[in-house]
């Protein structure tokens, strides 16, 4: 029986979905876990050879296996490849678009720059009391410009497998794309 012994999960900037939602779910399920800065994953893989895979979600999967997901997914695939670890996409089968030949056709939305220039959250005291008072802090000088794409596309060549509720999809040997 293979049991998940520990999960490292990223903050998932700029909205911090990992720090908020993934952390909550892992705690609720009593899965041992550690929050990691988005930019620390490569160092983590370098320092811990016991990490076997990176698992991410997907908002869209093209017919060849190219995958669109939250910004930062592509760099996770690159570091998994560099460190010789599996890179697995887990998504509902409804995310697979067989009418889209490749990720080149996926349009990437540019988000409001303020989403990365301003950090939002709750005051520490309000979290402790459960009242959840929102607060925002400007983290960059006001004149700072920002590039803020909502998604990136991970090429199928970097993906080890795609897992859906219907099963696991793998590539043919020596293929860089999925059939």
């Amino acid at each position: 029986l293979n049991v998940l012994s520990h999960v490292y999960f990223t903050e998932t900037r700029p909205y911090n979905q990992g720090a908020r939602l993934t952390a909550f779910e892992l705690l609720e399920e009593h899965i041992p876990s550690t929050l990691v800065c988005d930019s620390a994953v490569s160092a983590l893989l370098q320092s811990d050879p016991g990490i076997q895979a990176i698992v991410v979600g997907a908002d869209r999967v093209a017919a060849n296996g190219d995958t669109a997901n939250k910004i930062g997914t592509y760099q996770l695939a690159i570091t998994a490849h560099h460190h010789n670890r599996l890179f697995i996409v887990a998504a509902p089968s409804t995310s697979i678009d067989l009418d889209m030949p490749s990720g080149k056709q996926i349009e990437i939305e540019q988000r409001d720059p303020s989403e990365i220039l301003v950090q939002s959250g709750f005051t520490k005291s309000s979290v402790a009391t459960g009242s959840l008072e929102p607060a925002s802090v400007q983290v960059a000088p006001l004149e700072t410009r920002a590039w803020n794409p909502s998604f990136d596309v991970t090429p199928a060549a970097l993906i080890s497998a795609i897992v859906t509720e219907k099963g696991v999809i793998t590539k043919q040997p020596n293929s860089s794309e999925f059939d």
Side-chain angles (χ1 to χ4, degrees):
L1 179 66
N2 291 325
V3 176
L4 187 61
S5 61
H6 196 91
V7 172
Y8 291 95
F9 64 101
T10 58
E11 58 191 343
T12 321
R13 292 236 330 124
Y15 284 124
N16 294 315
Q17 297 102 315
R20 291 182 297 108
L21 304 174
T22 305
F24 175 80
E25 295 294 337
L26 290 167
L27 289 169
E28 284 291 303
E29 295 297 327
H30 306 287
I31 297 172
S33 57
T34 303
L35 175 62
V36 177
C37 213
D38 286 346
S39 56
V41 174
S42 294
L44 176 63
L45 290 181
Q46 184 178 50
S47 69
D48 189 343
I51 297 172
Q52 299 173 351
I54 293 177
V55 181
V56 299
D59 287 84
R60 199 157 188 194
V61 180
N64 72 341
D66 291 349
T67 302
N69 195 42
K70 305 293 178 277
I71 191 69
T73 303
Y74 180 36
Q75 69 186 11
L76 293 174
I78 291 169
T79 198
H81 180 76
H82 177 78
H83 292 283
N84 199 29
R85 311 295 166 84
L86 297 173
F87 186 79
I88 300 168
V89 173
S93 60
T94 54
S95 298
I96 300 172
D97 185 349
L98 297 177
D99 293 328
M100 178 169 290
S102 75
K104 292 177 183 165
Q105 291 79 35
I106 298 174
E107 201 168 313
I108 305 298
E109 172 191 2
Q110 291 297 316
R111 304 284 306 194
D112 186 331
S114 71
E115 294 174 353
I116 58 176
L117 299 172
V118 175
Q119 188 73 185
S120 298
F122 300 106
T123 63
K124 188 174 181 180
S125 60
S126 76
V127 172
T129 63
S131 61
L132 301 181
E133 297 171 29
S136 294
V137 178
Q138 180 77 28
V139 294
L142 292 175
E143 304 80 28
T144 304
R145 294 188 305 177
W147 181 68
N148 187 21
S150 56
F151 300 99
D152 56 25
V153 176
T154 301
L158 296 174
I159 299 171
S160 307
I162 299 171
V163 179
T164 74
E165 75 282 5
K166 295 182 179 184
V168 179
I169 306 164
T170 57
K171 293 178 276 195
Q172 295 297 321
N174 302 317
S175 178
S176 63
E177 295 184 345
F178 291 82
D179 289 336

